[in-house]
Amino acid sequence: AGRYPMERVAISGADEIIAGLRQGRGVLIVTAHMGCLELCRALADRSPGVTVNVLVHTRHARRFNDLLDRLNPQQAVRLIEVTEVNAATAVLLQEKIAAGEVVAIAGDRVPVQGDRTVTAPFLGVDAPFPCGPYLLAHLLRCPLYLMACLHEGQGYRLSFLPLAEEVRLPRAGREAEMARHAARFADELGRLLAASPYDWFNFFPFWDQKSTS
């Protein structure tokens, strides 16, 4: 609703992203359920003209957008309902990337149906991770970043870490390449959680899932 004081949000690692967006080069951000993800709007607030599109697994995305518009007509964050990564999804998001916008997707949730998973070591135990972020990065041909939001002092720090300038998934060995990218994400996620474990709001048995890859 625009009531959180954005001066409490420190941002690091976003300069390169902003520079690319101003040149019309969109980016894909893979994030995790830590801290306060809604503060990703700070990226848009600090950079006029930047639009952030958040992919969500909910059929109520349109209602959420209507609510956000009523609370803050100037907000530049849009929710897009996606049940699986398919051709229609790719076309829509390619338009967003081509327009120099940000597309964000969670990388620490396995969808109820649809997307495949790969296995990667996470905090000492193998766990399933969705393939969606890396399939999208491959299809969109755009830079891939990790976004983290952790408590810092009386506010939060929004951090951006480059994961890949471009993701290419060869037909031969595609699963292994997606697993490599997922492992990089899992490794960085583990490092962040080690620094601030109570910022992770993970409310399901993460390791008690069966991979569908």
Side-chain angles (χ1 to χ4, degrees):
R3 295 176 183 173
Y4 189 85
M6 282 299 157
E7 61 270 17
R8 285 194 189 176
V9 183
I11 300 179
S12 59
D15 291 346
E16 188 174 332
I17 293 177
I18 298 301
L21 295 177
R22 288 175 176 168
Q23 296 173 8
R25 188 185 189 197
V27 300
L28 177 64
I29 289 174
V30 56
T31 187
H33 291 73
M34 58 170 62
C36 182
L37 296 181
E38 287 73 16
L39 292 182
C40 67
R41 68 184 295 267
L43 185 66
D45 286 354
R46 306 271 177 91
S47 308
V50 170
T51 299
V52 179
N53 303 279
V54 182
L55 305 188
V56 295
H57 297 288
T58 173
R59 296 179 180 178
H60 303 295
R62 182 175 299 178
R63 293 182 181 179
F64 278 126
N65 283 329
D66 290 342
L67 176 61
L68 290 174
D69 285 339
R70 289 199 300 272
L71 292 172
N72 181 8
Q74 305 304 316
Q75 63 93 20
V77 176
R78 311 303 301 170
L79 305 183
I80 300 177
E81 188 271 325
V82 175
T83 54
E84 62 179 333
V85 177
N86 53 32
T89 303
V91 170
L92 171 64
L93 299 182
Q94 280 176 337
E95 294 174 354
K96 303 294 185 183
I97 294 296
E101 298 182 6
V102 175
V103 174
I105 184 173
D108 66 337
R109 285 293 186 273
V110 176
V112 176
Q113 60 182 8
D115 291 355
R116 296 172 297 170
T117 65
V118 290
T119 299
F122 181 49
L123 299 179
V125 182
D126 285 348
F129 286 85
C131 296
Y134 317 109
L135 285 171
L136 271 181
H138 168 73
L139 293 171
L140 299 178
R141 292 289 192 267
C142 65
L144 178 67
Y145 284 81
L146 166 64
M147 184 187 81
C149 184
L150 301 177
H151 276 94
E152 183 176 271
Q154 298 300 310
Y156 290 89
R157 176 168 293 275
L158 202 59
S159 301
F160 296 88
L161 175 73
L163 294 179
E165 181 63 22
E166 186 174 301
V167 173
R168 291 189 177 275
L169 301 178
R171 192 174 297 274
R174 173 166 293 193
E175 295 292 325
E177 188 66 7
M178 287 191 292
R180 185 179 71 82
H181 285 290
R184 170 78 192 283
F185 170 79
D187 184 61
E188 294 295 345
L189 180 58
R191 180 182 60 80
L192 291 163
L193 294 176
S196 190
Y198 291 109
D199 270 320
W200 193 33
F201 49 100
N202 182 57
F203 300 128
F204 70 99
F206 196 88
W207 292 269
D208 190 22
Q209 303 174 75
K210 292 183 178 180
S211 173
T212 56
S213 61

